Amino acid sequence: MTLPTWMPALADAIYFLAAVSFIWGIKRMSSPRTARHGILWAGGGMAAAILVTFFLPGMHHLLAIVVSVVVGGGLSWWVGRRVKMTAMPQMVALFNGMGGGAAAAIGAVELIKFNAALKLLTAPSRLVPDTSPIQPEAWATHAAQAIRTAVHLSPVELTLAFLGILIGAISFTGSLIAFAKLQGWMDKRYIYPLQRWVNLAIFIAAVVCGILALIAAIEGQPFAWGLLIAFFALTLIFGIAMTLPIGGADMPVVISMYNACTGLAVACDGFALQNEAMIIAGMVVGAAGTLLTQLMAKAMNRSLANVLFSNFGGGGGAAQQEIAGALKPIDANDAAVMMAYAERVAIVPGYGMAVAQAQHKVWEFAKLLIERGVKVKFAIHPVAGRMPGHMNVLLAEAGVPYDLIEDMDDINPEFPNIDVALVIGANDVVNPVARTDKNSPIYGMPILDVAKAKNVIVIKRGRGKGFAGIENALFYADNTRMLYGDGQAAAGELVAGLKTLDA
Amino acid sequence: MITGFLALYIFMLAAFTGYEIISRVPVILHTPLMSGSNFVHGIVLVGAMIALGHAHSTIEIVIGVIAVLLAAGNVAGAYVVTERMLEMFKTSKPAAPQSAEKKP
């Protein structure tokens, strides 16, 4: 295919505009009012960048590229369209892992190309006939330069290609494990003695293999394939080994970290490929993702190191305090009446509500209360759901306007004035032992002060413990009543209870 | 060619940009934003296409195809998921004034 000579310049211009659109898009996505435009901006830039890549000079295998793009993109599009809102977090993990895998694969292709070029270099005499007027040595230097420019791999770029593989591969397998855990395919945490040291050993072994292979490459020796394959295998294994012991409650932080990792890997690859859009987009995501990871860890009152290297709820330490009192059940009709005649009601939804798909029923109930003149607020813990902000998305899906949704810091001082707090599917985030019991694994985690409300109604499926596996003192408090049942059914009974009140 | 310190400058500036543009993000947007940045690093597809487009040997082509498949999955899936999440914020607007009357 012959291309006009201005094509590379046009491609550069479009990559530049794409980089601008990504930054602008992320900027818009960080405010609720402009968020929707943000993804459109970024999407437009991305589409243009992908399209112009087809017309870069020297591109082969166009058919293979088109087919792969359509198959890979089509499958993901289809899955992304059909998946339920509650499953969004694991989807982010899955797609992020794919990006990491792609980044690692790109690094691998670049290294193989470099190796092929080296082979040509090391055997120049065979290519130059003895009768050549140019000295073989001079020819070799010249060829070396030509090939180096052709494959674009100076020592710095080689190093970055290795780094891209390392980070990308860890992000790939790590994200897939995170996906499997959130999807419920791997419920258990896999913990064994000296795990941290084993993981460290795997990591060091991977890095050593990488450095040895890198030094050989920089010195211009052909690759030691064993070393390279070991490097690959060890990085992939490390991603798995590192994620296995981390509990489900910490997964959002881990996914966010892998998201930042993939960004960094992409930036490294972009440097090896001399593609500015990749460098900038990757680096921006790397930095933004790192900040986001910190914000999430902060919302859970845990440091990142704590998430990665300590086993949450591992059962160590002193025995937890005994909880006195009994569980006092309440009937759905009584609960409905109680709230109908209350002045202020706070609804505290948790992931359990989302799993039961009860958000629509709950909103219907809240609307009936509002019609009766009750002041209703939704109180959201920063990590309610599976990720920060996940619950807001789920409530928004049900149609709850976001001025009725209050963050923890805003609603906590109000709880003593609230007549009824309706807890539905939330457990650990309302557990007062986080404030009172120093031996509890969730001690110090910020919680919603639901216990301070005048009355508390807890909708709960059974008597099981929460995600962290801790007994909840709130359920035993004097002002708490338990409404047992599936979230959706219970909310339906509450709605029915309110309606009979008016009939 | 982007080499040496020029690259460092780009890295540094891009890192600060990424850090600054989301420093004031409300909790409500954490998950959509993570998904959105997940989409942005889908630019890896461009790299995968370039890698496959310049592949010579069979092994390069095979790994290149894997790279393009994965990267295309990243970019398409992340876009759909982000778009669906952010679509939710649109529906809350018409309902907002109605409930505002009920507010104290």
Side-chain angles (χ1 to χ4, degrees), chain A residues 131-159:
Chain A
T131 52
S132 165
I134 314 166
Q135 290 296 309
E137 277 161 39
W139 195 92
T141 342
H142 178 75
Q145 242 168 14
I147 291 171
R148 285 226 166 146
T149 338
V151 291
H152 287 314
L153 287 176
S154 68
V156 181
E157 284 148 8
L158 267 177
T159 312

PDB file of all heavy atoms in Angstrom, chain A residues 131-159:
ATOM      1  N   THR A 131      34.594  -8.589  -2.227  1.00  0.00           N
ATOM      2  CA  THR A 131      35.000  -7.598  -3.223  1.00  0.00           C
ATOM      3  C   THR A 131      34.456  -6.213  -2.920  1.00  0.00           C
ATOM      4  O   THR A 131      34.752  -5.259  -3.633  1.00  0.00           O
ATOM      5  CB  THR A 131      34.491  -8.018  -4.606  1.00  0.00           C
ATOM      6  OG1 THR A 131      33.088  -8.276  -4.487  1.00  0.00           O
ATOM      7  CG2 THR A 131      35.211  -9.241  -5.122  1.00  0.00           C
ATOM      8  N   SER A 132      33.669  -6.094  -1.861  1.00  0.00           N
ATOM      9  CA  SER A 132      33.053  -4.807  -1.564  1.00  0.00           C
ATOM     10  C   SER A 132      34.119  -3.744  -1.334  1.00  0.00           C
ATOM     11  O   SER A 132      35.122  -3.996  -0.662  1.00  0.00           O
ATOM     12  CB  SER A 132      32.186  -4.928  -0.312  1.00  0.00           C
ATOM     13  OG  SER A 132      31.874  -3.654   0.156  1.00  0.00           O
ATOM     14  N   PRO A 133      33.881  -2.567  -1.889  1.00  0.00           N
ATOM     15  CA  PRO A 133      34.865  -1.498  -1.710  1.00  0.00           C
ATOM     16  C   PRO A 133      34.899  -0.989  -0.268  1.00  0.00           C
ATOM     17  O   PRO A 133      35.900  -0.426   0.155  1.00  0.00           O
ATOM     18  CB  PRO A 133      34.386  -0.401  -2.661  1.00  0.00           C
ATOM     19  CG  PRO A 133      32.939  -0.686  -2.875  1.00  0.00           C
ATOM     20  CD  PRO A 133      32.747  -2.150  -2.713  1.00  0.00           C
ATOM     21  N   ILE A 134      33.810  -1.217   0.475  1.00  0.00           N
ATOM     22  CA  ILE A 134      33.787  -0.725   1.855  1.00  0.00           C
ATOM     23  C   ILE A 134      34.416  -1.769   2.759  1.00  0.00           C
ATOM     24  O   ILE A 134      34.240  -2.973   2.560  1.00  0.00           O
ATOM     25  CB  ILE A 134      32.339  -0.459   2.318  1.00  0.00           C
ATOM     26  CG1 ILE A 134      31.586   0.312   1.233  1.00  0.00           C
ATOM     27  CG2 ILE A 134      32.302   0.281   3.638  1.00  0.00           C
ATOM     28  CD1 ILE A 134      30.101   0.322   1.431  1.00  0.00           C
ATOM     29  N   GLN A 135      35.155  -1.319   3.722  1.00  0.00           N
ATOM     30  CA  GLN A 135      35.744  -2.230   4.703  1.00  0.00           C
ATOM     31  C   GLN A 135      34.629  -2.934   5.483  1.00  0.00           C
ATOM     32  O   GLN A 135      33.652  -2.292   5.866  1.00  0.00           O
ATOM     33  CB  GLN A 135      36.617  -1.451   5.689  1.00  0.00           C
ATOM     34  CG  GLN A 135      37.885  -0.904   5.075  1.00  0.00           C
ATOM     35  CD  GLN A 135      38.800  -2.008   4.601  1.00  0.00           C
ATOM     36  OE1 GLN A 135      39.106  -2.937   5.332  1.00  0.00           O
ATOM     37  NE2 GLN A 135      39.221  -1.942   3.336  1.00  0.00           N
ATOM     38  N   PRO A 136      34.768  -4.230   5.728  1.00  0.00           N
ATOM     39  CA  PRO A 136      33.720  -4.950   6.474  1.00  0.00           C
ATOM     40  C   PRO A 136      33.400  -4.299   7.820  1.00  0.00           C
ATOM     41  O   PRO A 136      32.247  -4.184   8.195  1.00  0.00           O
ATOM     42  CB  PRO A 136      34.316  -6.337   6.672  1.00  0.00           C
ATOM     43  CG  PRO A 136      35.330  -6.484   5.593  1.00  0.00           C
ATOM     44  CD  PRO A 136      35.832  -5.114   5.272  1.00  0.00           C
ATOM     45  N   GLU A 137      34.463  -3.834   8.518  1.00  0.00           N
ATOM     46  CA  GLU A 137      34.211  -3.258   9.850  1.00  0.00           C
ATOM     47  C   GLU A 137      33.361  -2.003   9.765  1.00  0.00           C
ATOM     48  O   GLU A 137      32.418  -1.814  10.531  1.00  0.00           O
ATOM     49  CB  GLU A 137      35.534  -2.927  10.539  1.00  0.00           C
ATOM     50  CG  GLU A 137      36.155  -4.130  11.211  1.00  0.00           C
ATOM     51  CD  GLU A 137      37.619  -3.913  11.481  1.00  0.00           C
ATOM     52  OE1 GLU A 137      37.970  -2.776  11.852  1.00  0.00           O
ATOM     53  OE2 GLU A 137      38.394  -4.868  11.308  1.00  0.00           O
ATOM     54  N   ALA A 138      33.724  -1.165   8.824  1.00  0.00           N
ATOM     55  CA  ALA A 138      32.955   0.072   8.647  1.00  0.00           C
ATOM     56  C   ALA A 138      31.507  -0.268   8.295  1.00  0.00           C
ATOM     57  O   ALA A 138      30.568   0.349   8.807  1.00  0.00           O
ATOM     58  CB  ALA A 138      33.572   0.912   7.537  1.00  0.00           C
ATOM     59  N   TRP A 139      31.357  -1.291   7.473  1.00  0.00           N
ATOM     60  CA  TRP A 139      30.012  -1.693   7.084  1.00  0.00           C
ATOM     61  C   TRP A 139      29.221  -2.161   8.295  1.00  0.00           C
ATOM     62  O   TRP A 139      28.056  -1.818   8.488  1.00  0.00           O
ATOM     63  CB  TRP A 139      30.083  -2.821   6.046  1.00  0.00           C
ATOM     64  CG  TRP A 139      28.771  -3.008   5.361  1.00  0.00           C
ATOM     65  CD1 TRP A 139      28.373  -2.423   4.205  1.00  0.00           C
ATOM     66  CD2 TRP A 139      27.698  -3.833   5.809  1.00  0.00           C
ATOM     67  NE1 TRP A 139      27.103  -2.815   3.891  1.00  0.00           N
ATOM     68  CE2 TRP A 139      26.667  -3.674   4.863  1.00  0.00           C
ATOM     69  CE3 TRP A 139      27.495  -4.666   6.900  1.00  0.00           C
ATOM     70  CZ2 TRP A 139      25.458  -4.346   4.984  1.00  0.00           C
ATOM     71  CZ3 TRP A 139      26.300  -5.324   7.024  1.00  0.00           C
ATOM     72  CH2 TRP A 139      25.282  -5.170   6.071  1.00  0.00           C
ATOM     73  N   ALA A 140      29.937  -2.901   9.145  1.00  0.00           N
ATOM     74  CA  ALA A 140      29.272  -3.428  10.337  1.00  0.00           C
ATOM     75  C   ALA A 140      28.763  -2.302  11.226  1.00  0.00           C
ATOM     76  O   ALA A 140      27.621  -2.328  11.694  1.00  0.00           O
ATOM     77  CB  ALA A 140      30.222  -4.329  11.106  1.00  0.00           C
ATOM     78  N   THR A 141      29.604  -1.287  11.431  1.00  0.00           N
ATOM     79  CA  THR A 141      29.178  -0.167  12.273  1.00  0.00           C
ATOM     80  C   THR A 141      27.964   0.518  11.656  1.00  0.00           C
ATOM     81  O   THR A 141      27.006   0.862  12.333  1.00  0.00           O
ATOM     82  CB  THR A 141      30.294   0.895  12.426  1.00  0.00           C
ATOM     83  OG1 THR A 141      31.515   0.298  12.064  1.00  0.00           O
ATOM     84  CG2 THR A 141      30.311   1.463  13.797  1.00  0.00           C
ATOM     85  N   HIS A 142      28.090   0.684  10.347  1.00  0.00           N
ATOM     86  CA  HIS A 142      26.993   1.345   9.649  1.00  0.00           C
ATOM     87  C   HIS A 142      25.698   0.528   9.800  1.00  0.00           C
ATOM     88  O   HIS A 142      24.649   1.067  10.145  1.00  0.00           O
ATOM     89  CB  HIS A 142      27.360   1.488   8.173  1.00  0.00           C
ATOM     90  CG  HIS A 142      26.282   2.116   7.364  1.00  0.00           C
ATOM     91  ND1 HIS A 142      26.004   3.467   7.415  1.00  0.00           N
ATOM     92  CD2 HIS A 142      25.383   1.582   6.499  1.00  0.00           C
ATOM     93  CE1 HIS A 142      25.001   3.734   6.622  1.00  0.00           C
ATOM     94  NE2 HIS A 142      24.594   2.605   6.045  1.00  0.00           N
ATOM     95  N   ALA A 143      25.815  -0.774   9.586  1.00  0.00           N
ATOM     96  CA  ALA A 143      24.643  -1.641   9.670  1.00  0.00           C
ATOM     97  C   ALA A 143      24.086  -1.634  11.092  1.00  0.00           C
ATOM     98  O   ALA A 143      22.878  -1.595  11.302  1.00  0.00           O
ATOM     99  CB  ALA A 143      25.002  -3.063   9.261  1.00  0.00           C
ATOM    100  N   ALA A 144      25.025  -1.638  12.038  1.00  0.00           N
ATOM    101  CA  ALA A 144      24.576  -1.632  13.432  1.00  0.00           C
ATOM    102  C   ALA A 144      23.698  -0.423  13.698  1.00  0.00           C
ATOM    103  O   ALA A 144      22.618  -0.532  14.279  1.00  0.00           O
ATOM    104  CB  ALA A 144      25.783  -1.603  14.366  1.00  0.00           C
ATOM    105  N   GLN A 145      24.185   0.713  13.216  1.00  0.00           N
ATOM    106  CA  GLN A 145      23.428   1.937  13.427  1.00  0.00           C
ATOM    107  C   GLN A 145      22.062   1.858  12.749  1.00  0.00           C
ATOM    108  O   GLN A 145      21.038   2.171  13.356  1.00  0.00           O
ATOM    109  CB  GLN A 145      24.193   3.111  12.843  1.00  0.00           C
ATOM    110  CG  GLN A 145      24.573   4.107  13.911  1.00  0.00           C
ATOM    111  CD  GLN A 145      25.562   5.110  13.388  1.00  0.00           C
ATOM    112  OE1 GLN A 145      25.777   5.217  12.166  1.00  0.00           O
ATOM    113  NE2 GLN A 145      26.162   5.841  14.285  1.00  0.00           N
ATOM    114  N   ALA A 146      22.100   1.401  11.495  1.00  0.00           N
ATOM    115  CA  ALA A 146      20.856   1.338  10.718  1.00  0.00           C
ATOM    116  C   ALA A 146      19.844   0.450  11.423  1.00  0.00           C
ATOM    117  O   ALA A 146      18.676   0.815  11.572  1.00  0.00           O
ATOM    118  CB  ALA A 146      21.146   0.808   9.324  1.00  0.00           C
ATOM    119  N   ILE A 147      20.327  -0.710  11.885  1.00  0.00           N
ATOM    120  CA  ILE A 147      19.385  -1.650  12.502  1.00  0.00           C
ATOM    121  C   ILE A 147      18.899  -1.118  13.844  1.00  0.00           C
ATOM    122  O   ILE A 147      17.726  -1.204  14.177  1.00  0.00           O
ATOM    123  CB  ILE A 147      20.047  -3.034  12.642  1.00  0.00           C
ATOM    124  CG1 ILE A 147      20.225  -3.631  11.249  1.00  0.00           C
ATOM    125  CG2 ILE A 147      19.184  -3.952  13.476  1.00  0.00           C
ATOM    126  CD1 ILE A 147      21.035  -4.874  11.213  1.00  0.00           C
ATOM    127  N   ARG A 148      19.820  -0.507  14.585  1.00  0.00           N
ATOM    128  CA  ARG A 148      19.392   0.073  15.870  1.00  0.00           C
ATOM    129  C   ARG A 148      18.299   1.110  15.660  1.00  0.00           C
ATOM    130  O   ARG A 148      17.327   1.156  16.399  1.00  0.00           O
ATOM    131  CB  ARG A 148      20.580   0.737  16.566  1.00  0.00           C
ATOM    132  CG  ARG A 148      21.476  -0.311  17.155  1.00  0.00           C
ATOM    133  CD  ARG A 148      21.884   0.011  18.556  1.00  0.00           C
ATOM    134  NE  ARG A 148      22.441  -1.225  19.088  1.00  0.00           N
ATOM    135  CZ  ARG A 148      23.420  -1.285  19.932  1.00  0.00           C
ATOM    136  NH1 ARG A 148      23.948  -0.192  20.398  1.00  0.00           N
ATOM    137  NH2 ARG A 148      23.860  -2.439  20.348  1.00  0.00           N
ATOM    138  N   THR A 149      18.498   1.957  14.636  1.00  0.00           N
ATOM    139  CA  THR A 149      17.460   2.957  14.386  1.00  0.00           C
ATOM    140  C   THR A 149      16.180   2.260  13.959  1.00  0.00           C
ATOM    141  O   THR A 149      15.089   2.669  14.349  1.00  0.00           O
ATOM    142  CB  THR A 149      17.892   3.932  13.264  1.00  0.00           C
ATOM    143  OG1 THR A 149      19.306   3.916  13.166  1.00  0.00           O
ATOM    144  CG2 THR A 149      17.388   5.316  13.534  1.00  0.00           C
ATOM    145  N   ALA A 150      16.352   1.186  13.188  1.00  0.00           N
ATOM    146  CA  ALA A 150      15.166   0.500  12.684  1.00  0.00           C
ATOM    147  C   ALA A 150      14.364  -0.102  13.835  1.00  0.00           C
ATOM    148  O   ALA A 150      13.143  -0.036  13.844  1.00  0.00           O
ATOM    149  CB  ALA A 150      15.565  -0.584  11.700  1.00  0.00           C
ATOM    150  N   VAL A 151      15.053  -0.697  14.809  1.00  0.00           N
ATOM    151  CA  VAL A 151      14.303  -1.327  15.888  1.00  0.00           C
ATOM    152  C   VAL A 151      14.160  -0.413  17.100  1.00  0.00           C
ATOM    153  O   VAL A 151      13.509  -0.776  18.077  1.00  0.00           O
ATOM    154  CB  VAL A 151      14.934  -2.668  16.326  1.00  0.00           C
ATOM    155  CG1 VAL A 151      14.780  -3.704  15.244  1.00  0.00           C
ATOM    156  CG2 VAL A 151      16.375  -2.481  16.705  1.00  0.00           C
ATOM    157  N   HIS A 152      14.797   0.773  17.030  1.00  0.00           N
ATOM    158  CA  HIS A 152      14.560   1.777  18.081  1.00  0.00           C
ATOM    159  C   HIS A 152      14.917   1.312  19.476  1.00  0.00           C
ATOM    160  O   HIS A 152      14.220   1.662  20.415  1.00  0.00           O
ATOM    161  CB  HIS A 152      13.076   2.168  18.138  1.00  0.00           C
ATOM    162  CG  HIS A 152      12.645   3.009  16.999  1.00  0.00           C
ATOM    163  ND1 HIS A 152      13.332   4.081  16.548  1.00  0.00           N
ATOM    164  CD2 HIS A 152      11.556   2.916  16.209  1.00  0.00           C
ATOM    165  CE1 HIS A 152      12.707   4.623  15.533  1.00  0.00           C
ATOM    166  NE2 HIS A 152      11.630   3.928  15.294  1.00  0.00           N
ATOM    167  N   LEU A 153      15.898   0.481  19.630  1.00  0.00           N
ATOM    168  CA  LEU A 153      16.123   0.009  20.992  1.00  0.00           C
ATOM    169  C   LEU A 153      17.534   0.316  21.484  1.00  0.00           C
ATOM    170  O   LEU A 153      18.456  -0.442  21.257  1.00  0.00           O
ATOM    171  CB  LEU A 153      15.834  -1.494  21.102  1.00  0.00           C
ATOM    172  CG  LEU A 153      14.354  -1.871  21.042  1.00  0.00           C
ATOM    173  CD1 LEU A 153      14.197  -3.364  21.053  1.00  0.00           C
ATOM    174  CD2 LEU A 153      13.561  -1.266  22.172  1.00  0.00           C
ATOM    175  N   SER A 154      17.667   1.438  22.153  1.00  0.00           N
ATOM    176  CA  SER A 154      18.904   1.775  22.833  1.00  0.00           C
ATOM    177  C   SER A 154      18.874   1.096  24.203  1.00  0.00           C
ATOM    178  O   SER A 154      17.840   0.555  24.593  1.00  0.00           O
ATOM    179  CB  SER A 154      18.999   3.287  22.986  1.00  0.00           C
ATOM    180  OG  SER A 154      18.011   3.707  23.891  1.00  0.00           O
ATOM    181  N   PRO A 155      19.993   1.112  24.950  1.00  0.00           N
ATOM    182  CA  PRO A 155      19.968   0.482  26.276  1.00  0.00           C
ATOM    183  C   PRO A 155      18.817   0.967  27.162  1.00  0.00           C
ATOM    184  O   PRO A 155      18.175   0.162  27.835  1.00  0.00           O
ATOM    185  CB  PRO A 155      21.315   0.887  26.867  1.00  0.00           C
ATOM    186  CG  PRO A 155      22.202   1.046  25.687  1.00  0.00           C
ATOM    187  CD  PRO A 155      21.337   1.540  24.574  1.00  0.00           C
ATOM    188  N   VAL A 156      18.560   2.281  27.130  1.00  0.00           N
ATOM    189  CA  VAL A 156      17.471   2.800  27.968  1.00  0.00           C
ATOM    190  C   VAL A 156      16.150   2.176  27.566  1.00  0.00           C
ATOM    191  O   VAL A 156      15.339   1.742  28.397  1.00  0.00           O
ATOM    192  CB  VAL A 156      17.381   4.336  27.848  1.00  0.00           C
ATOM    193  CG1 VAL A 156      16.281   4.862  28.743  1.00  0.00           C
ATOM    194  CG2 VAL A 156      18.704   4.971  28.198  1.00  0.00           C
ATOM    195  N   GLU A 157      15.929   2.097  26.243  1.00  0.00           N
ATOM    196  CA  GLU A 157      14.661   1.556  25.779  1.00  0.00           C
ATOM    197  C   GLU A 157      14.536   0.069  26.066  1.00  0.00           C
ATOM    198  O   GLU A 157      13.467  -0.428  26.378  1.00  0.00           O
ATOM    199  CB  GLU A 157      14.493   1.842  24.281  1.00  0.00           C
ATOM    200  CG  GLU A 157      14.128   3.290  24.059  1.00  0.00           C
ATOM    201  CD  GLU A 157      14.667   3.821  22.765  1.00  0.00           C
ATOM    202  OE1 GLU A 157      15.187   3.040  21.961  1.00  0.00           O
ATOM    203  OE2 GLU A 157      14.585   5.044  22.570  1.00  0.00           O
ATOM    204  N   LEU A 158      15.678  -0.637  25.957  1.00  0.00           N
ATOM    205  CA  LEU A 158      15.664  -2.061  26.313  1.00  0.00           C
ATOM    206  C   LEU A 158      15.246  -2.232  27.764  1.00  0.00           C
ATOM    207  O   LEU A 158      14.403  -3.062  28.100  1.00  0.00           O
ATOM    208  CB  LEU A 158      17.060  -2.656  26.131  1.00  0.00           C
ATOM    209  CG  LEU A 158      17.337  -3.310  24.785  1.00  0.00           C
ATOM    210  CD1 LEU A 158      18.769  -3.775  24.741  1.00  0.00           C
ATOM    211  CD2 LEU A 158      16.405  -4.491  24.583  1.00  0.00           C
ATOM    212  N   THR A 159      15.850  -1.407  28.629  1.00  0.00           N
ATOM    213  CA  THR A 159      15.506  -1.485  30.050  1.00  0.00           C
ATOM    214  C   THR A 159      14.020  -1.265  30.246  1.00  0.00           C
ATOM    215  O   THR A 159      13.357  -1.993  30.998  1.00  0.00           O
ATOM    216  CB  THR A 159      16.291  -0.416  30.845  1.00  0.00           C
ATOM    217  OG1 THR A 159      17.651  -0.478  30.447  1.00  0.00           O
ATOM    218  CG2 THR A 159      16.154  -0.639  32.331  1.00  0.00           C
TER     219      THR A 159
END
